[in-house]
Amino acid sequence: MNAAKREEIYRRLRDANPHPTTELEYDSPFELLISVLLSAQATDVSVNKATRLLYPVANTPAAMLALGEEALANFIKTIGLYKTKAKNVIATCRILLEKHGGEVPQTREALEALPGVGRKTANVVLNTAFGQPTIAVDTHIFRVANRTRLAPGKDVREVEDKLVKFTPKAFQVDAHHWLILHGRYVCKARKPECQHCIIADLCEYPAKPL
Ligand code: SF4
């Protein structure tokens, strides 16, 4: 895909949604970190349901530690893999307090050293909490990038590297959200809604049913 097309795709996604953000509900970098950690292999809706009850009780590393692993697991038991996630959240909170003064660190290295935090979670936190131009590639972005040929790649890392390299500067901070939302609501996995897609004429998906 050439640069002019890429630019036009982002321009249209931006015009349709000038201020995109995550669908996870959060009020601080810490809440975002925990919500992203909980959202692995779970929907944002299921995470929000649990955290609406959890955060009023514990929304700092110290409060989470005081709550304890068992009580935390009880709050999040409707989310997949909740036992492992409860363990990781508690271990993460301990490190935040011991090494980072109770704050969420702003570097990839420090974030990825936290239990349960991989490259994707670090990218989301750096981007959404701290405004860094990282692009976390999830299943939706991977699909959209490959179908459209915006940034084709055989694995998430290749797609991420291409998106970071080829996304025009003006769109880098918000690209992550535009592409996720486009994949979640329009360019769906089983049945992309190409007839209602605002970038259909630019998309290079050979199988688009137009
Ligand atoms: S035209 Fe179809 S395949 Fe291409 S981005 Fe839109 S929904 Fe996805």
Side-chain angles (χ1 to χ4, degrees):
M1 175 172 287
N2 64 40
K5 255 191 185 180
R6 231 181 259 126
E7 174 119 19
E8 181 59 19
I9 284 177
Y10 282 117
R11 193 174 297 130
R12 287 192 201 169
L13 293 175
R14 179 197 58 197
D15 290 350
N17 184 6
H19 304 293
T21 187
T22 175
E23 293 185 330
L24 288 171
E25 296 169 2
Y26 70 99
D27 275 327
S28 67
F30 176 73
E31 288 187 5
L32 179 66
L33 170 66
I34 301 305
S35 289
V36 179
L37 202 153
L38 295 178
S39 73
Q41 294 174 50
T43 64
D44 289 357
V45 172
S46 70
V47 172
N48 289 338
K49 253 190 198 160
T51 58
R52 271 177 216 153
L53 299 175
L54 171 65
Y55 291 155
V57 176
N59 70 345
T60 63
M64 206 64 90
L65 280 182
L67 183 66
E69 190 177 319
E70 207 175 307
L72 168 60
N74 209 33
F75 273 104
I76 62 171
K77 64 178 182 236
T78 50
I79 302 173
L81 307 172
Y82 74 98
K83 283 189 180 159
T84 306
K85 288 175 181 175
K87 198 182 288 286
N88 284 336
V89 167
I90 293 296
T92 282
C93 289
R94 196 163 284 126
I95 295 174
L96 291 180
L97 279 172
E98 286 170 1
K99 293 197 174 163
H100 303 288
E103 300 291 325
V104 176
Q106 300 195 24
T107 66
R108 172 185 304 287
E109 200 190 5
L111 282 167
E112 287 187 15
L114 299 170
V117 177
R119 186 175 179 88
K120 197 178 82 175
T121 299
N123 275 334
V124 174
V125 173
L126 290 171
N127 176 263
T128 306
F130 301 126
Q132 294 187 26
T134 58
I135 301 181
V137 177
D138 71 347
T139 177
H140 299 299
I141 296 189
F142 185 75
R143 184 174 66 251
V144 171
N146 271 296
R147 274 186 185 160
T148 56
R149 312 296 292 168
L150 190 65
K154 59 188 176 317
D155 54 41
V156 292
R157 188 57 199 269
E158 189 179 351
V159 168
E160 179 187 326
D161 290 344
K162 281 193 186 170
L163 283 172
V164 168
K165 187 167 171 196
F166 294 126
T167 300
K169 269 217 158 14
F171 303 112
Q172 277 190 1
V173 170
D174 290 326
H176 166 75
H177 294 120
W178 286 318
L179 297 176
I180 280 194
L181 294 171
H182 193 67
R184 193 175 282 167
Y185 296 112
V186 184
C187 194
K188 297 174 186 168
R190 291 226 309 232
K191 221 172 161 218
E193 296 188 3
C194 304
Q195 292 88 343
H196 309 294
C197 176
I198 59 172
I199 57 169
D201 57 316
L202 303 163
C203 169
E204 295 178 1
Y205 184 42
K208 62 184 173 188
L210 290 177

